[in-house]
Amino acid sequence: MQPTTPTKKLLFHEVINLIDKMHQYIIHNKKTIAIVIRGSFKPKGVEFISKEEEPLQIGVSEYNKNHSIPAHIHRPIKATIKSIQEVVYIEKGKVEIQFYSPNKKLIKKAILKKHDFCYFISGGHGFKMLSKSKIFEVKQGPYRGNKFDKEYIK
């Protein structure tokens, strides 16, 4: 793929190739299990990583000093959530993440470091702290407790 200039229109396959170099997609049987976004990622304005139809909308933005976003309220919508999705942000430390297929088979491992984050879309996951770590975790609620919300993989 040749480098593109801002005036050149990108073809669809060029956009996919460009995105793949910025993020690590964990794919199993043609289905996205998770997306790893590195802390070094530099968005051009606002860039959404998640698909429009996903129940979680994950965007990365970078703004100049004095930029402002108008105050706003998100309108209520009625939505059906078919699966719980989750995002983890590594504030500090080094974490190994294990990615599992929907049928509970280990498919890949990845190391995340300070300022990396991961968007879990489907399948399962596990964590191993490789150093003292601080992780922020965001997922849909309400939380009903481990007994109802989680099925552990052996």
Side-chain angles (χ1 to χ4, degrees), residues 16 21 28 40 48 50 55 59-60 68 80 84 95 97 101 109 112 116 122 125 130 139 143 154:
I16 296 300
K21 291 179 182 177
H28 179 71
S40 58
F48 276 84
S50 56
V60 181
S68 62
T80 301
I84 299 296
V95 179
I97 298 180
S101 68
K109 295 179 182 182
L112 273 68
D116 291 343
S122 64
H125 52 273
L130 302 177
K139 65 178 184 150
Y143 180 64
K154 295 177 184 182

Side-chain angles (χ1 to χ4, degrees), residues 38-135:
R38 299 295 174 186
S40 58
F41 171 59
K42 299 290 183 199
K44 292 179 174 41
V46 178
E47 292 190 35
F48 276 84
I49 288 110
S50 56
K51 294 179 183 176
E52 288 181 4
E53 64 270 11
E54 296 291 349
L56 279 180
Q57 296 297 297
I58 312 300
V60 181
S61 312
E62 189 168 305
Y63 301 105
N64 292 324
K65 182 179 179 179
N66 295 323
H67 176 87
S68 62
I69 298 171
H72 61 283
I73 295 172
H74 293 271
R75 294 179 179 152
I77 62 166
K78 189 171 185 170
T80 301
I81 298 171
K82 296 178 183 173
S83 67
I84 299 296
Q85 296 184 343
E86 182 176 347
V87 173
V88 295
Y89 172 75
I90 311 303
E91 173 69 18
K92 71 176 184 179
K94 188 174 180 182
V95 179
E96 176 190 270
I97 298 180
Q98 306 96 33
F99 301 94
Y100 291 85
S101 68
N103 62 355
K104 305 176 190 170
K105 302 291 181 200
L106 178 65
I107 55 173
K108 188 160 184 68
K109 295 179 182 182
I111 306 292
L112 273 68
K113 299 177 184 173
K114 182 178 180 179
H115 301 305
D116 291 343
F117 69 95
C118 185
Y119 171 35
F120 299 103
I121 299 170
S122 64
H125 52 273
F127 303 91
K128 180 179 180 182
M129 304 311 140
L130 302 177
S131 67
K132 185 174 180 179
S133 301
K134 181 179 180 181
I135 301 172

Side-chain angles (χ1 to χ4, degrees), residues 10-28:
L10 292 173
L11 299 173
F12 179 74
H13 74 277
E14 290 178 312
V15 171
I16 296 300
N17 288 337
L18 186 62
I19 290 171
D20 286 346
K21 291 179 182 177
M22 295 177 195
H23 313 308
Q24 180 181 5
Y25 287 79
I26 312 302
I27 308 245
H28 179 71

